[in-house]
Amino acid sequence: MTAVDGRSCVGTEGAVSSGLYTYDLAPTKKEGRRWGAYNVFTLWANDVHSLGNYAFAIGLFALGLNVWGILAAFALASVLLFLLLTLSGFMGHKTGVPFPVMGRMAFGIKGAKIPAIVRGAVAIAWFGIQTYLASSVLSALLVAMFPGLRTLDTNSLLGQSTLGWITFLALWTLQVLIVSYGMQMIRRYMAFAAPTTLITMCALAVWMFVRADGSISLSVDEPLVGAEMWLQILQGAALWVVIYGTFVLNFCDFTRSAKSRSSIVRGNVIGIPVNMLFFAVIVVVLSGAQFKLDGHVITSPTDIVRTIPNEFLLAAASLALITLTIAVNLLANFVAPIYALIDLFPRRLNFRRAGLVSAVIGLVILPWNLYNSPVVVNYFLGGLGALLGPLFGVIMADYWLLRKSRVNVPDLYTDDARGEYHYRRGYNPRAVWAFVPSAAIAVAMALAPVFHAVAGFSWFIGAALAAALYAVIADRTVQHRDVDGEAIAVAAE
């Protein structure tokens, strides 16, 4: 019997538990999936061009990498990301399940809450921070257009001015509204935001290139050379992959609605290697042109936007940056905690309610205070981020090396002790044994000053250790069955 009410049903493999199965967590039917190559591309067209990513990439120029070094770092990173995200994306297309359910394969029907909570916690914090950054751009724009509003930007209530609260709550409400209409509305917003983002950033780069008389500085005055340069290239590439450590885990949240494997590959090819090199070119033009003009390195594209002399163009560029930041937030920081919360409270939450709960948490943590605290950002969020590599290692090793992509989808939704993913009381101790030491090493490398030189590689080392450990200690006596989830599937959005 096919699930239609989101509570419980009977699949081909036995009873499906209402504590594990809801409409939002159910696998998607293969027929009617709508995400094509363009939709996959728009994920990266929006996410790659985020303000945080520009700040990171421009920082490489400030650290002494020349133009060719920056391009080399992003070329290497794009190849690695294309491989990792394609492997992760195939899992979503094959099973049609979101990340909290995907984790049940390796960690068990209860143990999967561990990776879901870690991924969701990181995302909620960054949702609030990104909304705050977008609201800062909006506040600056409003003050520039209506100078009288400056009086609303001088007081402080819980760390925010009155104008800051108004702009934050306005953008917060807009994102909640978009998410309340589900993944289909998110897909449509991505399709609108992607070309807007690309055109705006390209126009900004052309404008700066013309201002600099058609040439740019290829590096700062004392660029890195030799081994030091190559180490920075490798670290830059590694850190760029770490930035996407969240996305490589829950890319299946989007590819579960992909039409085919080829649409994932084609969307990833254009969206990752091609788009990331386009991004790198914009970065070197913006930073190199500004450095030629006044000898200073910008910290973000917003520094350039604020110098636009024409009020109309200033407003258009600022609104485009806000549109971009909202798109990034929806993709990277809203969808993941929604599914995590539904998984934690399946009988109480659906997609819309979980989106509201996630947004409220992102508000009450007062994210501007988090962003302005280096201790919180570096240690709390940095420590949580370091856990993502080992989680990825265990899940990938389980799916590709141990199961060889064979999945019994109906058993992902049953708490029957005979189910394939019940393991020991719902937990797979071997996955936990592989994860814990690898996570401890990854966190230590990311945060301990003694490991500063290799901190940028902590995600890779944690992922490789976890995958190797799991491959060694995993139970290979179990026969893995390949059963699709069509009998319990729901229509894809």
Side-chain angles (χ1 to χ4, degrees), residues 172-206:
W172 181 91
T173 303
L174 175 61
Q175 292 173 91
V176 171
L177 184 63
I178 293 171
V179 167
S180 70
Y181 286 94
M183 289 293 286
Q184 186 174 353
M185 181 60 72
I186 293 176
R187 176 173 60 86
R188 290 174 177 172
Y189 184 86
M190 295 302 106
F192 156 75
T196 302
T197 297
L198 295 176
I199 291 170
T200 300
M201 299 313 298
C202 187
L204 192 60
V206 170

PDB file of all heavy atoms in Angstrom, residues 172-206:
ATOM      1  N   TRP A 172      14.268  37.766   7.584  1.00  0.00           N
ATOM      2  CA  TRP A 172      13.914  36.523   8.286  1.00  0.00           C
ATOM      3  C   TRP A 172      12.511  36.076   7.865  1.00  0.00           C
ATOM      4  O   TRP A 172      12.298  34.910   7.526  1.00  0.00           O
ATOM      5  CB  TRP A 172      13.983  36.779   9.791  1.00  0.00           C
ATOM      6  CG  TRP A 172      13.685  35.618  10.680  1.00  0.00           C
ATOM      7  CD1 TRP A 172      14.582  34.721  11.189  1.00  0.00           C
ATOM      8  CD2 TRP A 172      12.403  35.245  11.216  1.00  0.00           C
ATOM      9  NE1 TRP A 172      13.936  33.810  11.991  1.00  0.00           N
ATOM     10  CE2 TRP A 172      12.603  34.104  12.032  1.00  0.00           C
ATOM     11  CE3 TRP A 172      11.119  35.764  11.081  1.00  0.00           C
ATOM     12  CZ2 TRP A 172      11.560  33.482  12.706  1.00  0.00           C
ATOM     13  CZ3 TRP A 172      10.072  35.142  11.756  1.00  0.00           C
ATOM     14  CH2 TRP A 172      10.297  34.016  12.552  1.00  0.00           C
ATOM     15  N   THR A 173      11.561  37.017   7.846  1.00  0.00           N
ATOM     16  CA  THR A 173      10.181  36.700   7.468  1.00  0.00           C
ATOM     17  C   THR A 173      10.103  36.261   6.014  1.00  0.00           C
ATOM     18  O   THR A 173       9.364  35.317   5.673  1.00  0.00           O
ATOM     19  CB  THR A 173       9.276  37.918   7.695  1.00  0.00           C
ATOM     20  OG1 THR A 173       9.360  38.320   9.069  1.00  0.00           O
ATOM     21  CG2 THR A 173       7.831  37.598   7.340  1.00  0.00           C
ATOM     22  N   LEU A 174      10.840  36.929   5.142  1.00  0.00           N
ATOM     23  CA  LEU A 174      10.830  36.575   3.722  1.00  0.00           C
ATOM     24  C   LEU A 174      11.291  35.134   3.520  1.00  0.00           C
ATOM     25  O   LEU A 174      10.674  34.376   2.746  1.00  0.00           O
ATOM     26  CB  LEU A 174      11.737  37.532   2.944  1.00  0.00           C
ATOM     27  CG  LEU A 174      11.934  37.218   1.454  1.00  0.00           C
ATOM     28  CD1 LEU A 174      10.597  37.258   0.708  1.00  0.00           C
ATOM     29  CD2 LEU A 174      12.928  38.183   0.826  1.00  0.00           C
ATOM     30  N   GLN A 175      12.340  34.724   4.211  1.00  0.00           N
ATOM     31  CA  GLN A 175      12.852  33.359   4.059  1.00  0.00           C
ATOM     32  C   GLN A 175      11.872  32.329   4.616  1.00  0.00           C
ATOM     33  O   GLN A 175      11.669  31.266   4.017  1.00  0.00           O
ATOM     34  CB  GLN A 175      14.213  33.239   4.758  1.00  0.00           C
ATOM     35  CG  GLN A 175      15.294  34.050   4.075  1.00  0.00           C
ATOM     36  CD  GLN A 175      16.577  34.056   4.863  1.00  0.00           C
ATOM     37  OE1 GLN A 175      17.452  33.212   4.678  1.00  0.00           O
ATOM     38  NE2 GLN A 175      16.726  35.019   5.764  1.00  0.00           N
ATOM     39  N   VAL A 176      11.259  32.639   5.741  1.00  0.00           N
ATOM     40  CA  VAL A 176      10.248  31.734   6.300  1.00  0.00           C
ATOM     41  C   VAL A 176       9.087  31.569   5.326  1.00  0.00           C
ATOM     42  O   VAL A 176       8.562  30.465   5.130  1.00  0.00           O
ATOM     43  CB  VAL A 176       9.746  32.261   7.661  1.00  0.00           C
ATOM     44  CG1 VAL A 176       8.547  31.442   8.143  1.00  0.00           C
ATOM     45  CG2 VAL A 176      10.858  32.214   8.698  1.00  0.00           C
ATOM     46  N   LEU A 177       8.704  32.656   4.686  1.00  0.00           N
ATOM     47  CA  LEU A 177       7.600  32.610   3.728  1.00  0.00           C
ATOM     48  C   LEU A 177       7.942  31.723   2.541  1.00  0.00           C
ATOM     49  O   LEU A 177       7.127  30.891   2.108  1.00  0.00           O
ATOM     50  CB  LEU A 177       7.265  34.027   3.257  1.00  0.00           C
ATOM     51  CG  LEU A 177       6.063  34.174   2.318  1.00  0.00           C
ATOM     52  CD1 LEU A 177       4.785  33.744   3.030  1.00  0.00           C
ATOM     53  CD2 LEU A 177       5.944  35.607   1.823  1.00  0.00           C
ATOM     54  N   ILE A 178       9.156  31.869   2.003  1.00  0.00           N
ATOM     55  CA  ILE A 178       9.575  31.056   0.862  1.00  0.00           C
ATOM     56  C   ILE A 178       9.572  29.572   1.242  1.00  0.00           C
ATOM     57  O   ILE A 178       9.033  28.721   0.517  1.00  0.00           O
ATOM     58  CB  ILE A 178      10.976  31.477   0.376  1.00  0.00           C
ATOM     59  CG1 ILE A 178      10.921  32.890  -0.226  1.00  0.00           C
ATOM     60  CG2 ILE A 178      11.520  30.481  -0.658  1.00  0.00           C
ATOM     61  CD1 ILE A 178      12.286  33.460  -0.534  1.00  0.00           C
ATOM     62  N   VAL A 179      10.147  29.257   2.390  1.00  0.00           N
ATOM     63  CA  VAL A 179      10.249  27.858   2.821  1.00  0.00           C
ATOM     64  C   VAL A 179       8.880  27.265   3.121  1.00  0.00           C
ATOM     65  O   VAL A 179       8.661  26.064   2.944  1.00  0.00           O
ATOM     66  CB  VAL A 179      11.181  27.755   4.049  1.00  0.00           C
ATOM     67  CG1 VAL A 179      11.057  26.394   4.721  1.00  0.00           C
ATOM     68  CG2 VAL A 179      12.624  27.991   3.635  1.00  0.00           C
ATOM     69  N   SER A 180       7.935  28.095   3.539  1.00  0.00           N
ATOM     70  CA  SER A 180       6.608  27.578   3.883  1.00  0.00           C
ATOM     71  C   SER A 180       5.904  26.957   2.684  1.00  0.00           C
ATOM     72  O   SER A 180       4.975  26.167   2.846  1.00  0.00           O
ATOM     73  CB  SER A 180       5.742  28.694   4.476  1.00  0.00           C
ATOM     74  OG  SER A 180       5.391  29.645   3.491  1.00  0.00           O
ATOM     75  N   TYR A 181       6.351  27.288   1.474  1.00  0.00           N
ATOM     76  CA  TYR A 181       5.761  26.717   0.264  1.00  0.00           C
ATOM     77  C   TYR A 181       6.514  25.480  -0.225  1.00  0.00           C
ATOM     78  O   TYR A 181       6.187  24.937  -1.286  1.00  0.00           O
ATOM     79  CB  TYR A 181       5.703  27.770  -0.846  1.00  0.00           C
ATOM     80  CG  TYR A 181       4.636  28.812  -0.619  1.00  0.00           C
ATOM     81  CD1 TYR A 181       4.934  30.010   0.009  1.00  0.00           C
ATOM     82  CD2 TYR A 181       3.322  28.582  -1.009  1.00  0.00           C
ATOM     83  CE1 TYR A 181       3.957  30.972   0.233  1.00  0.00           C
ATOM     84  CE2 TYR A 181       2.334  29.541  -0.788  1.00  0.00           C
ATOM     85  CZ  TYR A 181       2.658  30.729  -0.165  1.00  0.00           C
ATOM     86  OH  TYR A 181       1.689  31.671   0.062  1.00  0.00           O
ATOM     87  N   GLY A 182       7.517  25.037   0.537  1.00  0.00           N
ATOM     88  CA  GLY A 182       8.167  23.761   0.242  1.00  0.00           C
ATOM     89  C   GLY A 182       9.305  23.852  -0.754  1.00  0.00           C
ATOM     90  O   GLY A 182       9.701  24.921  -1.213  1.00  0.00           O
ATOM     91  N   MET A 183       9.819  22.673  -1.118  1.00  0.00           N
ATOM     92  CA  MET A 183      10.986  22.581  -1.983  1.00  0.00           C
ATOM     93  C   MET A 183      10.715  23.115  -3.379  1.00  0.00           C
ATOM     94  O   MET A 183      11.627  23.591  -4.052  1.00  0.00           O
ATOM     95  CB  MET A 183      11.463  21.129  -2.064  1.00  0.00           C
ATOM     96  CG  MET A 183      12.103  20.616  -0.784  1.00  0.00           C
ATOM     97  SD  MET A 183      13.662  21.428  -0.392  1.00  0.00           S
ATOM     98  CE  MET A 183      14.740  20.665  -1.601  1.00  0.00           C
ATOM     99  N   GLN A 184       9.475  23.046  -3.832  1.00  0.00           N
ATOM    100  CA  GLN A 184       9.159  23.542  -5.168  1.00  0.00           C
ATOM    101  C   GLN A 184       9.392  25.050  -5.249  1.00  0.00           C
ATOM    102  O   GLN A 184       9.939  25.569  -6.234  1.00  0.00           O
ATOM    103  CB  GLN A 184       7.718  23.214  -5.536  1.00  0.00           C
ATOM    104  CG  GLN A 184       7.363  23.584  -6.971  1.00  0.00           C
ATOM    105  CD  GLN A 184       5.968  23.112  -7.362  1.00  0.00           C
ATOM    106  OE1 GLN A 184       5.308  22.407  -6.612  1.00  0.00           O
ATOM    107  NE2 GLN A 184       5.530  23.494  -8.544  1.00  0.00           N
ATOM    108  N   MET A 185       8.995  25.787  -4.207  1.00  0.00           N
ATOM    109  CA  MET A 185       9.223  27.231  -4.194  1.00  0.00           C
ATOM    110  C   MET A 185      10.717  27.544  -4.075  1.00  0.00           C
ATOM    111  O   MET A 185      11.204  28.508  -4.692  1.00  0.00           O
ATOM    112  CB  MET A 185       8.454  27.868  -3.032  1.00  0.00           C
ATOM    113  CG  MET A 185       8.627  29.384  -2.951  1.00  0.00           C
ATOM    114  SD  MET A 185       8.062  30.242  -4.452  1.00  0.00           S
ATOM    115  CE  MET A 185       6.282  30.061  -4.283  1.00  0.00           C
ATOM    116  N   ILE A 186      11.451  26.749  -3.302  1.00  0.00           N
ATOM    117  CA  ILE A 186      12.897  26.940  -3.203  1.00  0.00           C
ATOM    118  C   ILE A 186      13.535  26.748  -4.572  1.00  0.00           C
ATOM    119  O   ILE A 186      14.414  27.511  -4.985  1.00  0.00           O
ATOM    120  CB  ILE A 186      13.505  25.970  -2.164  1.00  0.00           C
ATOM    121  CG1 ILE A 186      13.014  26.339  -0.756  1.00  0.00           C
ATOM    122  CG2 ILE A 186      15.032  25.986  -2.226  1.00  0.00           C
ATOM    123  CD1 ILE A 186      13.469  25.385   0.319  1.00  0.00           C
ATOM    124  N   ARG A 187      13.104  25.720  -5.289  1.00  0.00           N
ATOM    125  CA  ARG A 187      13.628  25.471  -6.642  1.00  0.00           C
ATOM    126  C   ARG A 187      13.360  26.663  -7.558  1.00  0.00           C
ATOM    127  O   ARG A 187      14.241  27.082  -8.322  1.00  0.00           O
ATOM    128  CB  ARG A 187      12.984  24.200  -7.216  1.00  0.00           C
ATOM    129  CG  ARG A 187      13.375  23.886  -8.646  1.00  0.00           C
ATOM    130  CD  ARG A 187      12.839  22.527  -9.059  1.00  0.00           C
ATOM    131  NE  ARG A 187      11.391  22.449  -8.990  1.00  0.00           N
ATOM    132  CZ  ARG A 187      10.576  22.825  -9.971  1.00  0.00           C
ATOM    133  NH1 ARG A 187      11.081  23.292 -11.101  1.00  0.00           N
ATOM    134  NH2 ARG A 187       9.281  22.703  -9.849  1.00  0.00           N
ATOM    135  N   ARG A 188      12.173  27.230  -7.464  1.00  0.00           N
ATOM    136  CA  ARG A 188      11.837  28.378  -8.313  1.00  0.00           C
ATOM    137  C   ARG A 188      12.670  29.612  -7.930  1.00  0.00           C
ATOM    138  O   ARG A 188      13.093  30.384  -8.801  1.00  0.00           O
ATOM    139  CB  ARG A 188      10.348  28.694  -8.189  1.00  0.00           C
ATOM    140  CG  ARG A 188       9.453  27.647  -8.839  1.00  0.00           C
ATOM    141  CD  ARG A 188       7.992  27.925  -8.561  1.00  0.00           C
ATOM    142  NE  ARG A 188       7.139  26.962  -9.237  1.00  0.00           N
ATOM    143  CZ  ARG A 188       5.827  26.871  -9.049  1.00  0.00           C
ATOM    144  NH1 ARG A 188       5.229  27.689  -8.186  1.00  0.00           N
ATOM    145  NH2 ARG A 188       5.116  25.971  -9.698  1.00  0.00           N
ATOM    146  N   TYR A 189      12.870  29.793  -6.628  1.00  0.00           N
ATOM    147  CA  TYR A 189      13.681  30.935  -6.193  1.00  0.00           C
ATOM    148  C   TYR A 189      15.116  30.789  -6.693  1.00  0.00           C
ATOM    149  O   TYR A 189      15.738  31.771  -7.118  1.00  0.00           O
ATOM    150  CB  TYR A 189      13.652  31.054  -4.664  1.00  0.00           C
ATOM    151  CG  TYR A 189      14.390  32.280  -4.158  1.00  0.00           C
ATOM    152  CD1 TYR A 189      13.747  33.506  -4.078  1.00  0.00           C
ATOM    153  CD2 TYR A 189      15.731  32.205  -3.795  1.00  0.00           C
ATOM    154  CE1 TYR A 189      14.411  34.637  -3.641  1.00  0.00           C
ATOM    155  CE2 TYR A 189      16.410  33.328  -3.354  1.00  0.00           C
ATOM    156  CZ  TYR A 189      15.744  34.538  -3.278  1.00  0.00           C
ATOM    157  OH  TYR A 189      16.422  35.655  -2.852  1.00  0.00           O
ATOM    158  N   MET A 190      15.644  29.565  -6.638  1.00  0.00           N
ATOM    159  CA  MET A 190      16.997  29.326  -7.139  1.00  0.00           C
ATOM    160  C   MET A 190      17.100  29.690  -8.619  1.00  0.00           C
ATOM    161  O   MET A 190      18.071  30.306  -9.056  1.00  0.00           O
ATOM    162  CB  MET A 190      17.383  27.849  -6.979  1.00  0.00           C
ATOM    163  CG  MET A 190      17.486  27.339  -5.564  1.00  0.00           C
ATOM    164  SD  MET A 190      18.658  28.239  -4.577  1.00  0.00           S
ATOM    165  CE  MET A 190      17.524  29.182  -3.561  1.00  0.00           C
ATOM    166  N   ALA A 191      16.089  29.290  -9.386  1.00  0.00           N
ATOM    167  CA  ALA A 191      16.103  29.554 -10.823  1.00  0.00           C
ATOM    168  C   ALA A 191      16.085  31.047 -11.114  1.00  0.00           C
ATOM    169  O   ALA A 191      16.676  31.512 -12.099  1.00  0.00           O
ATOM    170  CB  ALA A 191      14.897  28.873 -11.485  1.00  0.00           C
ATOM    171  N   PHE A 192      15.425  31.817 -10.260  1.00  0.00           N
ATOM    172  CA  PHE A 192      15.389  33.276 -10.426  1.00  0.00           C
ATOM    173  C   PHE A 192      16.691  33.921  -9.951  1.00  0.00           C
ATOM    174  O   PHE A 192      17.237  34.816 -10.600  1.00  0.00           O
ATOM    175  CB  PHE A 192      14.204  33.850  -9.646  1.00  0.00           C
ATOM    176  CG  PHE A 192      14.367  35.292  -9.258  1.00  0.00           C
ATOM    177  CD1 PHE A 192      14.231  36.298 -10.202  1.00  0.00           C
ATOM    178  CD2 PHE A 192      14.678  35.648  -7.944  1.00  0.00           C
ATOM    179  CE1 PHE A 192      14.399  37.633  -9.851  1.00  0.00           C
ATOM    180  CE2 PHE A 192      14.845  36.973  -7.585  1.00  0.00           C
ATOM    181  CZ  PHE A 192      14.696  37.967  -8.538  1.00  0.00           C
ATOM    182  N   ALA A 193      17.195  33.469  -8.800  1.00  0.00           N
ATOM    183  CA  ALA A 193      18.347  34.135  -8.184  1.00  0.00           C
ATOM    184  C   ALA A 193      19.650  33.881  -8.931  1.00  0.00           C
ATOM    185  O   ALA A 193      20.523  34.746  -8.970  1.00  0.00           O
ATOM    186  CB  ALA A 193      18.482  33.682  -6.729  1.00  0.00           C
ATOM    187  N   ALA A 194      19.794  32.686  -9.529  1.00  0.00           N
ATOM    188  CA  ALA A 194      21.072  32.317 -10.154  1.00  0.00           C
ATOM    189  C   ALA A 194      21.502  33.290 -11.253  1.00  0.00           C
ATOM    190  O   ALA A 194      22.612  33.837 -11.202  1.00  0.00           O
ATOM    191  CB  ALA A 194      21.006  30.893 -10.689  1.00  0.00           C
ATOM    192  N   PRO A 195      20.670  33.544 -12.276  1.00  0.00           N
ATOM    193  CA  PRO A 195      21.110  34.495 -13.305  1.00  0.00           C
ATOM    194  C   PRO A 195      21.294  35.905 -12.762  1.00  0.00           C
ATOM    195  O   PRO A 195      22.189  36.634 -13.212  1.00  0.00           O
ATOM    196  CB  PRO A 195      19.992  34.435 -14.353  1.00  0.00           C
ATOM    197  CG  PRO A 195      18.819  33.857 -13.653  1.00  0.00           C
ATOM    198  CD  PRO A 195      19.361  32.959 -12.602  1.00  0.00           C
ATOM    199  N   THR A 196      20.461  36.309 -11.800  1.00  0.00           N
ATOM    200  CA  THR A 196      20.613  37.628 -11.182  1.00  0.00           C
ATOM    201  C   THR A 196      21.983  37.762 -10.536  1.00  0.00           C
ATOM    202  O   THR A 196      22.683  38.770 -10.694  1.00  0.00           O
ATOM    203  CB  THR A 196      19.517  37.849 -10.119  1.00  0.00           C
ATOM    204  OG1 THR A 196      18.242  37.714 -10.722  1.00  0.00           O
ATOM    205  CG2 THR A 196      19.649  39.208  -9.468  1.00  0.00           C
ATOM    206  N   THR A 197      22.393  36.711  -9.814  1.00  0.00           N
ATOM    207  CA  THR A 197      23.689  36.705  -9.141  1.00  0.00           C
ATOM    208  C   THR A 197      24.833  36.775 -10.141  1.00  0.00           C
ATOM    209  O   THR A 197      25.752  37.594 -10.006  1.00  0.00           O
ATOM    210  CB  THR A 197      23.820  35.432  -8.286  1.00  0.00           C
ATOM    211  OG1 THR A 197      22.828  35.442  -7.268  1.00  0.00           O
ATOM    212  CG2 THR A 197      25.196  35.349  -7.657  1.00  0.00           C
ATOM    213  N   LEU A 198      24.793  35.914 -11.149  1.00  0.00           N
ATOM    214  CA  LEU A 198      25.890  35.846 -12.117  1.00  0.00           C
ATOM    215  C   LEU A 198      26.034  37.147 -12.887  1.00  0.00           C
ATOM    216  O   LEU A 198      27.150  37.642 -13.089  1.00  0.00           O
ATOM    217  CB  LEU A 198      25.666  34.670 -13.067  1.00  0.00           C
ATOM    218  CG  LEU A 198      25.713  33.275 -12.434  1.00  0.00           C
ATOM    219  CD1 LEU A 198      25.382  32.208 -13.472  1.00  0.00           C
ATOM    220  CD2 LEU A 198      27.073  33.002 -11.812  1.00  0.00           C
ATOM    221  N   ILE A 199      24.920  37.726 -13.323  1.00  0.00           N
ATOM    222  CA  ILE A 199      24.967  38.976 -14.081  1.00  0.00           C
ATOM    223  C   ILE A 199      25.504  40.111 -13.211  1.00  0.00           C
ATOM    224  O   ILE A 199      26.343  40.914 -13.645  1.00  0.00           O
ATOM    225  CB  ILE A 199      23.561  39.326 -14.622  1.00  0.00           C
ATOM    226  CG1 ILE A 199      23.152  38.318 -15.703  1.00  0.00           C
ATOM    227  CG2 ILE A 199      23.541  40.749 -15.189  1.00  0.00           C
ATOM    228  CD1 ILE A 199      21.699  38.436 -16.123  1.00  0.00           C
ATOM    229  N   THR A 200      25.045  40.172 -11.954  1.00  0.00           N
ATOM    230  CA  THR A 200      25.481  41.241 -11.061  1.00  0.00           C
ATOM    231  C   THR A 200      26.974  41.171 -10.780  1.00  0.00           C
ATOM    232  O   THR A 200      27.688  42.188 -10.876  1.00  0.00           O
ATOM    233  CB  THR A 200      24.708  41.170  -9.729  1.00  0.00           C
ATOM    234  OG1 THR A 200      23.308  41.316  -9.988  1.00  0.00           O
ATOM    235  CG2 THR A 200      25.165  42.265  -8.778  1.00  0.00           C
ATOM    236  N   MET A 201      27.476  39.980 -10.437  1.00  0.00           N
ATOM    237  CA  MET A 201      28.889  39.861 -10.099  1.00  0.00           C
ATOM    238  C   MET A 201      29.776  40.086 -11.314  1.00  0.00           C
ATOM    239  O   MET A 201      30.864  40.673 -11.217  1.00  0.00           O
ATOM    240  CB  MET A 201      29.166  38.497  -9.472  1.00  0.00           C
ATOM    241  CG  MET A 201      28.406  38.231  -8.183  1.00  0.00           C
ATOM    242  SD  MET A 201      28.461  39.592  -6.976  1.00  0.00           S
ATOM    243  CE  MET A 201      30.213  39.663  -6.633  1.00  0.00           C
ATOM    244  N   CYS A 202      29.317  39.638 -12.469  1.00  0.00           N
ATOM    245  CA  CYS A 202      30.074  39.862 -13.703  1.00  0.00           C
ATOM    246  C   CYS A 202      30.117  41.356 -14.027  1.00  0.00           C
ATOM    247  O   CYS A 202      31.178  41.903 -14.383  1.00  0.00           O
ATOM    248  CB  CYS A 202      29.441  39.082 -14.849  1.00  0.00           C
ATOM    249  SG  CYS A 202      30.390  39.122 -16.378  1.00  0.00           S
ATOM    250  N   ALA A 203      28.985  42.040 -13.890  1.00  0.00           N
ATOM    251  CA  ALA A 203      28.932  43.474 -14.150  1.00  0.00           C
ATOM    252  C   ALA A 203      29.822  44.246 -13.179  1.00  0.00           C
ATOM    253  O   ALA A 203      30.508  45.209 -13.563  1.00  0.00           O
ATOM    254  CB  ALA A 203      27.488  43.964 -14.043  1.00  0.00           C
ATOM    255  N   LEU A 204      29.834  43.807 -11.914  1.00  0.00           N
ATOM    256  CA  LEU A 204      30.679  44.457 -10.913  1.00  0.00           C
ATOM    257  C   LEU A 204      32.154  44.306 -11.265  1.00  0.00           C
ATOM    258  O   LEU A 204      32.942  45.255 -11.141  1.00  0.00           O
ATOM    259  CB  LEU A 204      30.392  43.862  -9.531  1.00  0.00           C
ATOM    260  CG  LEU A 204      30.967  44.582  -8.312  1.00  0.00           C
ATOM    261  CD1 LEU A 204      30.433  46.004  -8.228  1.00  0.00           C
ATOM    262  CD2 LEU A 204      30.655  43.804  -7.042  1.00  0.00           C
ATOM    263  N   ALA A 205      32.539  43.109 -11.727  1.00  0.00           N
ATOM    264  CA  ALA A 205      33.932  42.873 -12.116  1.00  0.00           C
ATOM    265  C   ALA A 205      34.317  43.715 -13.331  1.00  0.00           C
ATOM    266  O   ALA A 205      35.411  44.296 -13.381  1.00  0.00           O
ATOM    267  CB  ALA A 205      34.144  41.386 -12.402  1.00  0.00           C
ATOM    268  N   VAL A 206      33.413  43.800 -14.316  1.00  0.00           N
ATOM    269  CA  VAL A 206      33.689  44.611 -15.513  1.00  0.00           C
ATOM    270  C   VAL A 206      33.839  46.076 -15.130  1.00  0.00           C
ATOM    271  O   VAL A 206      34.749  46.776 -15.604  1.00  0.00           O
ATOM    272  CB  VAL A 206      32.559  44.429 -16.555  1.00  0.00           C
ATOM    273  CG1 VAL A 206      32.709  45.452 -17.683  1.00  0.00           C
ATOM    274  CG2 VAL A 206      32.581  43.011 -17.115  1.00  0.00           C
TER     275      VAL A 206
END
